Amino acid sequence: MHSKPIYYEEPYRKTLDATVVTVTEEGLILDQTICYPEGGGQSGDVGTISGIALLDTTKDDDHTIYHHVQGTPFSEGDKVTIVLDWAHRYKFMQMHTAQHVASGLLFHHFSIGTVSVHQGQKFLTIETDQAEIPLSVCYELEDLVNEKAREGKAVHYEVHTQKSAQEKGLRRSIKVEGDGVRLVVVEGVDTVACGGLHVANTKEIEVFHYQGQEMIRGHVRLIFTVAETARQEIRKTEAVVEQLKTLFSSPLEELVATAEKAVTQAANDKNALQRCNTHLASLELAHRVDIAEKKDGIPVILWDVDADTSLKDIGKASTSHEDLALCAVQQYNDQVLWLIVLSGKAASLINFSAQRSTLLEVIDGKGGGKPPIYQGVGSKDRFALLSTFKDLLQ
Ligand SMILES: [Zn+2]
């Protein structure tokens, strides 16, 4: 049993009384419906059925329409009232009609084909058959669609036989079989076979806004917003630009150059800071070597490193000391970072390979390296590693 689709006859109808024919696991089947099922790149209708939330509308391959409601509050024979979420539906009708106008213009004016389309909550996307589309074409298309919206072109339907529809030489192949082919005509702009829902006049598109493009399957996919969503997106972008102008104390014309300069400056500052930190680490290590206790004349350093100094810098600095037995640890969030250096004669004090498990098991650590520098991570008490290292030197 198929629901009678009232949405084709009355696409602007917002409420309808219907009778529950069957309750299935997939959802309710009604005798008639104004709920458009998901398909053709358009999402299914939402709203309420007798006050219960209608979460989605879908159809199966057999064109049976399922109304997905929360829970199972209905039984066969129940009289119900459908109330559409009209803002949701109308937004999709606007976007979908804008897509026809845009795809029609792309084809007839720019010789660009449409491969696939999608109407999301916010963005309308058109996957074209092109590997490249210059920005000037995107803006020209935007202008032309807005022109068609201003001109107020009527959108109407024609029902054709398969033969008479084929003879029209449409830009898009007809996907339905048999007669009764529904053609959507945007007066003077585009004619295609389509089972979707459209506004009655292009003036209802209101605003058509080019948002950008991306590559998909080697094709350019154009991204647009329509009507209220377009206005919101434009305002949002303007608000961000205003904030950036204030942040960089820059007029619009100089904003990009100012931002680029700031990014370059920040990168240079970061490098300079890095060099300072490396130098500081080497100074601190040299100081610790000077005051270190010695084992067989080799300085021994046990170092709990603060957060401002990096073990990497200490490792680097250690290469300028001939003989050195160093064990450094650092707490980093839940982790313990560790560094062991056994350079020159220190290699004879501790054989790292032989003592690796003794050292690392106390902090549940892992890692390694090659002589004379070893490093890694662990957890548990970092001071246990320092004392184990010290014990091995006794
Ligand atoms: Zn359509």
Side-chain angles (χ1 to χ4, degrees), residues 330-337:
Q330 186 176 48
Q331 193 69 39
Y332 183 77
N333 298 329
D334 291 342
Q335 281 189 321
V336 171
L337 310 181

Side-chain angles (χ1 to χ4, degrees), residues 4-190:
K4 189 180 174 204
I6 302 292
Y7 46 75
Y8 282 139
E9 295 161 25
E10 299 180 75
Y12 286 84
R13 185 161 183 157
K14 301 171 185 72
T15 69
L16 179 76
D17 292 332
T19 304
V20 177
V21 176
T22 318
V23 180
T24 72
E25 275 187 18
E26 283 84 9
L28 297 180
I29 301 174
L30 307 175
D31 64 336
Q32 56 177 358
T33 188
I34 49 172
C35 302
Y36 183 80
E38 184 187 352
Q42 183 165 343
S43 79
D45 267 322
V46 294
T48 58
I49 293 184
S50 293
I52 305 294
L54 169 66
L55 306 172
D56 198 6
T57 309
T58 57
K59 67 177 176 200
D60 62 16
D61 294 340
D62 198 29
H63 297 286
T64 303
I65 297 172
Y66 298 99
H67 303 79
H68 302 258
V69 291
Q70 217 154 27
T72 48
F74 300 110
S75 318
E76 206 177 302
D78 281 356
K79 303 285 180 201
V80 294
T81 301
I82 305 167
V83 178
L84 287 186
D85 178 341
W86 183 248
H88 178 266
R89 155 69 82 77
Y90 190 59
K91 183 170 78 177
F92 282 100
M93 284 165 63
Q94 288 175 307
M95 282 175 125
H96 182 66
T97 310
Q99 180 266 308
H100 277 274
V101 177
S103 287
L105 286 167
L106 277 170
F107 186 80
H108 297 294
H109 196 86
F110 300 97
S111 302
I112 294 174
T114 293
V115 176
S116 73
V117 298
H118 182 255
Q119 285 104 228
Q121 286 300 324
K122 214 185 228 181
F123 301 111
L124 159 67
T125 61
I126 298 177
E127 179 190 347
T128 69
D129 60 2
Q130 304 286 302
E132 210 176 312
I133 299 180
L135 198 57
S136 57
V137 168
C138 302
Y139 286 139
E140 199 183 336
L141 172 68
E142 183 188 73
D143 286 344
L144 283 171
V145 175
N146 282 316
E147 193 179 299
K148 297 299 170 197
R150 278 196 304 277
E151 286 171 5
K153 300 289 186 187
V155 180
H156 70 269
Y157 301 99
E158 290 175 2
V159 178
H160 282 256
T161 62
Q162 191 69 226
K163 187 169 174 287
S164 66
Q166 297 287 359
E167 282 166 3
K168 286 253 172 193
L170 307 177
R171 68 170 168 83
R172 198 172 73 181
S173 63
I174 299 166
K175 288 172 190 135
V176 290
E177 290 171 1
D179 291 336
V181 180
R182 190 169 176 269
L183 298 189
V184 180
V185 181
V186 182
E187 183 200 322
V189 181
D190 193 39

